[in-house]
Protein backbone atom coordinates (compact mmCIF):
# COMPACT_ATOMS: atom_id res chain seq x y z
CA UNK A 1 0.00 0.00 0.00
CA UNK A 2 1.31 3.45 -0.83
CA UNK A 3 2.64 5.41 2.11
CA UNK A 4 0.75 8.51 3.07
CA UNK A 5 2.25 11.73 1.83
CA UNK A 6 3.96 13.78 4.49
CA UNK A 7 1.81 16.51 5.95
CA UNK A 8 2.77 19.96 4.89
CA UNK A 9 2.50 22.91 7.17
CA UNK A 10 0.91 25.96 5.63
CA UNK A 11 3.30 28.43 4.10
CA UNK A 12 4.04 31.33 6.42
CA UNK A 13 2.22 34.53 5.67
CA UNK A 14 4.74 37.04 4.41
CA UNK A 15 5.06 40.11 6.57
CA UNK A 16 4.26 43.39 4.89
CA UNK A 17 7.21 45.02 3.24
CA UNK A 18 8.02 48.25 5.02
CA UNK A 19 7.69 51.27 2.85
CA UNK A 20 11.07 52.72 1.98
CA UNK A 21 12.19 55.76 3.93
CA UNK A 22 12.10 58.99 1.96
CA UNK A 23 15.31 59.87 0.22
CA UNK A 24 16.49 63.43 0.00
CA UNK A 25 17.16 64.67 -3.48
CA UNK A 26 18.21 68.22 -2.62
CA UNK A 27 18.56 70.69 0.25
CA UNK A 28 18.63 74.44 -0.13
CA UNK A 29 18.23 77.69 1.77
CA UNK A 30 15.40 79.92 0.63
CA UNK A 31 15.43 83.54 1.65
CA UNK A 32 19.03 84.69 1.58
CA UNK A 33 22.55 84.04 0.38
CA UNK A 34 23.75 82.52 3.66
CA UNK A 35 20.58 82.24 5.72
CA UNK A 36 16.96 81.30 5.26
CA UNK A 37 14.44 78.50 5.56
CA UNK A 38 15.82 74.99 5.06
CA UNK A 39 13.92 73.42 2.16
CA UNK A 40 14.17 69.71 1.40
CA UNK A 41 13.17 68.07 -1.87
CA UNK A 42 12.54 64.32 -1.89
CA UNK A 43 13.25 62.08 -4.88
CA UNK A 44 9.51 61.91 -5.59
CA UNK A 45 9.44 65.71 -6.00
CA UNK A 46 7.76 66.48 -2.66
CA UNK A 47 9.15 69.74 -1.31
CA UNK A 48 8.83 71.22 2.15
CA UNK A 49 10.41 72.58 5.29
CA UNK A 50 12.22 70.82 8.12
CA UNK A 51 10.61 70.52 11.56
CA UNK A 52 12.59 72.51 14.14
CA UNK A 53 11.84 70.14 17.04
CA UNK A 54 15.05 68.30 17.96
CA UNK A 55 17.08 70.32 15.45
CA UNK A 56 20.38 71.30 17.08
CA UNK A 57 23.66 72.94 16.06
CA UNK A 58 24.83 69.42 15.07
CA UNK A 59 22.14 69.19 12.37
CA UNK A 60 22.79 72.82 11.42
CA UNK A 61 26.48 72.11 10.93
CA UNK A 62 25.75 69.09 8.72
CA UNK A 63 23.31 71.06 6.58
CA UNK A 64 25.64 74.06 6.20
CA UNK A 65 28.53 71.77 5.21
CA UNK A 66 26.29 69.96 2.72
CA UNK A 67 25.31 73.30 1.20
CA UNK A 68 28.98 74.27 0.71
CA UNK A 69 29.41 76.64 3.66
CA UNK A 70 32.17 76.55 6.27
CA UNK A 71 29.88 75.96 9.24
CA UNK A 72 26.79 77.04 11.14
CA UNK A 73 26.32 80.27 13.05
CA UNK A 74 22.72 79.98 14.28
CA UNK A 75 19.62 77.79 13.96
CA UNK A 76 16.65 80.15 14.28
CA UNK A 77 13.08 79.54 13.17
CA UNK A 78 12.64 80.66 9.57
CA UNK A 79 10.10 83.33 10.54
CA UNK A 80 12.75 85.18 12.59
CA UNK A 81 14.78 85.52 9.39
CA UNK A 82 11.91 87.22 7.61
CA UNK A 83 11.11 84.09 5.58
CA UNK A 84 7.52 82.94 5.65
CA UNK A 85 6.98 79.20 5.78
CA UNK A 86 4.81 78.78 2.69
CA UNK A 87 5.68 75.10 2.43
CA UNK A 88 4.41 72.34 4.71
CA UNK A 89 6.91 70.63 6.99
CA UNK A 90 7.77 67.29 5.41
CA UNK A 91 10.28 65.87 7.84
CA UNK A 92 12.94 66.10 10.46
CA UNK A 93 16.69 65.66 10.44
CA UNK A 94 18.72 63.91 13.14
CA UNK A 95 22.53 63.69 13.10
CA UNK A 96 24.80 61.80 15.48
CA UNK A 97 28.28 62.74 14.30
CA UNK A 98 29.70 66.23 14.53
CA UNK A 99 30.99 67.66 11.26
CA UNK A 100 29.25 65.15 9.03
CA UNK A 101 27.30 66.05 5.92
CA UNK A 102 23.64 65.24 5.57
CA UNK A 103 24.44 61.75 4.26
CA UNK A 104 25.52 60.90 7.82
CA UNK A 105 22.14 61.98 9.21
CA UNK A 106 18.72 60.39 9.33
CA UNK A 107 15.76 62.01 7.59
CA UNK A 108 12.34 61.12 8.96
CA UNK A 109 9.24 61.95 6.98
CA UNK A 110 6.46 63.40 9.11
CA UNK A 111 3.11 64.85 8.21
CA UNK A 112 2.90 67.30 11.08
CA UNK A 113 5.14 69.21 13.42
CA UNK A 114 4.08 70.66 16.78
CA UNK A 115 5.64 73.99 15.78
CA UNK A 116 3.93 76.08 13.10
CA UNK A 117 7.21 77.18 11.60
CA UNK A 118 10.06 75.63 9.64
CA UNK A 119 13.69 75.39 10.57
CA UNK A 120 15.87 78.29 9.57
CA UNK A 121 19.62 78.32 9.26
CA UNK A 122 22.42 80.88 9.32
CA UNK A 123 25.61 79.49 7.77
CA UNK A 124 29.13 80.92 7.83
CA UNK A 125 31.51 81.35 4.92
CA UNK A 126 33.81 83.91 3.40
CA UNK A 127 31.14 84.41 0.73
CA UNK A 128 28.59 85.55 3.36
CA UNK A 129 28.25 89.30 3.79
CA UNK A 130 29.43 90.08 7.33
CA UNK A 131 27.03 92.99 7.61
CA UNK A 132 23.92 90.76 7.59
CA UNK A 133 24.72 88.83 10.80
CA UNK A 134 26.05 90.03 14.17
CA UNK A 135 26.33 89.05 17.82
CA UNK A 136 25.20 91.53 20.46
CA UNK A 137 25.93 91.58 24.20
CA UNK A 138 28.48 88.77 24.36
CA UNK A 139 31.82 88.76 26.13
CA UNK A 140 33.65 87.46 23.02
CA UNK A 141 33.33 88.16 19.27
CA UNK A 142 31.19 85.07 18.60
CA UNK A 143 29.03 85.18 21.73
CA UNK A 144 25.76 86.89 22.52
CA UNK A 145 22.38 87.28 20.92
CA UNK A 146 22.38 86.61 17.18
CA UNK A 147 20.84 89.40 15.12
CA UNK A 148 20.19 89.30 11.39
CA UNK A 149 19.67 92.28 9.08
CA UNK A 150 16.60 91.85 6.87
CA UNK A 151 15.45 94.66 4.59
CA UNK A 152 17.78 97.09 6.39
CA UNK A 153 16.42 96.26 9.87
CA UNK A 154 18.26 94.33 12.58
CA UNK A 155 16.20 91.65 14.30
CA UNK A 156 16.82 89.08 17.02
CA UNK A 157 17.10 85.47 15.98
Amino acid sequence: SPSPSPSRSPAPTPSPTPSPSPVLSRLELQGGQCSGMVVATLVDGTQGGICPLGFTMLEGEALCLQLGFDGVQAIPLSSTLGVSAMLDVIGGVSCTTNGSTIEGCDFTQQATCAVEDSQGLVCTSSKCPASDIRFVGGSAPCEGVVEVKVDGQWGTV
Side-chain angles (χ1 to χ4, degrees), residues 2 13 24 30 40 53 86 90 126 145 151 156:
T13 306
L24 287 174
Q30 288 187 357
L53 297 179
M86 297 186 310
I90 60 168
S126 58
V145 176
D151 296 329
T156 304

Side-chain angles (χ1 to χ4, degrees), residues 79-142:
S79 62
T80 64
L81 297 171
V83 181
S84 64
M86 297 186 310
L87 298 171
D88 290 333
V89 169
I90 60 168
V93 176
S94 175
C95 304
T96 56
T97 307
N98 195 16
S100 67
T101 58
I102 202 67
E103 283 89 11
C105 305
D106 292 325
F107 178 84
T108 308
Q109 191 170 11
Q110 54 196 75
T112 61
C113 179
V115 178
E116 292 184 17
D117 203 348
S118 293
Q119 184 61 53
L121 196 57
V122 179
C123 298
T124 60
S125 172
S126 58
K127 66 183 178 181
C128 298
S131 61
D132 288 352
I133 303 166
R134 69 181 181 187
F135 288 95
V136 177
S139 59
C142 291

Side-chain angles (χ1 to χ4, degrees), residues 20-46:
S21 62
V23 178
L24 287 174
S25 169
R26 184 178 72 222
L27 285 167
E28 59 186 314
L29 286 179
Q30 288 187 357
Q33 180 181 357
C34 301
S35 63
M37 180 174 73
V38 180
V39 176
T41 304
L42 305 181
V43 293
D44 68 2
T46 303

Side-chain angles (χ1 to χ4, degrees), residues 62-82:
L63 280 139
C64 285
L65 291 173
Q66 181 72 28
L67 294 167
F69 296 100
D70 297 334
V72 63
Q73 186 167 16
I75 54 167
L77 294 175
S78 62
S79 62
T80 64
L81 297 171

